[in-house]
Amino acid sequence: MDQTITLSFVDKGGVLNPGELEERCRQAEPVLRRAVEGDPQYRDFTGWRTVDEHAGPDRVAFLQKEADRVRKDADAFVVIGIGGSNQSSRAAIKALRPKDGPAILWAGNTISACEMARTLEELDEYKSVYIDCIAKNFETLEPGIAFRVLRQYLEKRYGEAEAAKRIFATGTPGSTLHQLCKDHGYTFLTFPERVGGRFSVLSDVGLFPMAVAGVDIAAVTAGMRQMRDRIFAEKAEENIALRYAVLRKLFLEKGYALEMLSFFEPRLDYFAKWWVQTFAESEGKEDTALYPIVSSNSEDLHAVGQYVQQGRPILFETFLEIRARDASVILPPETKKDYFDYLTGKDFWDINEAARKGTFSAHSHRGIPCLCFSIPAIDAHTLGQLYYYFIFSCYLSCELLGVNPFDQPGVEAYKHQMFALLGKP
């Protein structure tokens, strides 16, 4: 199977001038070169760049060994984390739907009393429960309080000594979370200091929960390396990461306010949430950047499709196309008159493809700029490529915007107000 990811675009409205993309890519060559070589000003934030610094073969083998220990005994595994601490692993697990591992539950991503109560109630249905608290510096409220509740749940159910064997924590060495693990015998995994949350898929943070679920993390990291090598080798005008970043900047300059990621596989719903976080949190600064939104089709065509077709032309669209057919359901004949006989004998896969192609055609003919990523399949290797691709493209896109790709000062605003209301010292 051809594992290459391609990027193409249709601009029937003539938004871009002939040769404009190529010229801007040539102008942006120094940005690409600095990113590939490793920009010294971002040294403390780019521990993901080489892949192998925190996701090399030896580390992958170690994580797989630890995951196998959990998989042999666990009926349920709870991932505690919020934002970048759980989005990447959740995306892969939801997309690939491994069948031979423990149930994966998610906590620490909400402060809803109802959700926590439901999680505790659900855990009572499983015989053997393990947890992993992911918190870089163990200062974020949501995973902190979820970890306390779930830690005490395990202690009450299994006793402190047995509970300790079932508790993993992923944080920065030297943090209060690390100290908690040392004091009580929990297994500590590393959240690298030089890797931020939304880039942490290339580390224990994203890879360990995937491995526990049954995802082939060796294939994920192989895909990452393949995309890394490609981006590092391609010249500016042909570079798939730079072309995407430049297109986004050009459309922003032309007055577009939103980028909509559109796909026709609900398996990608959580991957899309990861994509939204990566770009929104990285770029949304200094009153600039595109607002990333998602269309999970064909369902959302019955929600926002009307607006896209005839509403204000404020967005451009980025489609994901999957080439490999990995499922088949044939519409059977029917003697009852339901008026769908014209589809008898057709495969759901082909009907879905017709919907995707028809949507692309209708939206592009409306004058909406339409990009298309053609990916080989929804599998571990391809997801690895996509993770690295979008992280690197986002880095380039931020550089073109002139914003810091690696901070998120705006996220702290709600926390200050919340902590004041809660009486935090």
Side-chain angles (χ1 to χ4, degrees), residues 39-189:
D39 193 332
Q41 71 172 317
Y42 295 130
R43 185 190 177 282
D44 292 340
F45 307 97
T46 51
W48 51 268
R49 186 180 61 86
T50 65
V51 181
D52 289 330
E53 185 170 341
H54 298 291
D58 290 345
R59 193 62 184 177
V60 166
F62 167 78
L63 292 174
Q64 191 62 66
K65 182 179 179 181
E66 289 294 311
D68 288 344
R69 172 166 73 86
V70 177
R71 286 169 58 80
K72 287 177 182 177
D73 184 53
D75 301 311
F77 180 72
V78 187
V79 181
I80 305 168
I82 194 166
S85 296
N86 74 357
Q87 291 279 35
S88 60
S89 59
R90 197 175 194 183
I93 293 166
K94 294 286 188 178
L96 302 178
R97 300 178 183 178
K99 297 178 181 179
D100 62 343
I104 308 297
L105 286 71
W106 308 91
N109 56 341
T110 173
I111 319 173
S112 164
C114 180
E115 286 301 309
M116 178 53 73
R118 284 178 174 176
T119 298
L120 293 171
E121 184 178 334
E122 184 177 352
L123 288 177
D124 286 338
E125 301 173 6
Y126 297 101
K127 181 179 178 181
S128 181
V129 178
Y130 285 68
I131 65 176
D132 177 21
C133 177
I134 306 170
K136 187 169 188 179
N137 296 313
F138 203 45
E139 297 172 351
T140 303
L141 183 150
E142 291 91 341
I145 61 176
F147 187 34
R148 178 186 290 190
V149 169
L150 290 166
R151 195 168 68 240
Q152 291 185 5
Y153 171 87
L154 292 185
E155 291 169 352
K156 181 178 179 180
R157 184 168 173 180
Y158 302 109
E160 286 197 28
E162 177 61 26
K165 300 174 184 176
R166 299 168 176 270
I167 297 172
F168 289 77
T170 306
T172 302
S175 66
T176 54
L177 183 60
H178 190 197
Q179 189 61 49
L180 198 63
C181 291
K182 290 194 288 186
D183 290 344
H184 300 284
Y186 310 147
T187 302
F188 184 76
L189 300 175

Side-chain angles (χ1 to χ4, degrees), residues 10-60:
V10 172
D11 179 22
K12 291 186 180 296
V15 177
L16 302 184
N17 298 320
E20 189 172 11
L21 170 60
E22 290 71 23
E23 177 57 29
R24 289 291 288 271
C25 284
R26 284 192 289 272
Q27 294 173 8
E29 193 275 336
V31 173
L32 175 65
R33 185 172 65 252
R34 285 197 304 272
V36 167
E37 294 175 354
D39 193 332
Q41 71 172 317
Y42 295 130
R43 185 190 177 282
D44 292 340
F45 307 97
T46 51
W48 51 268
R49 186 180 61 86
T50 65
V51 181
D52 289 330
E53 185 170 341
H54 298 291
D58 290 345
R59 193 62 184 177
V60 166

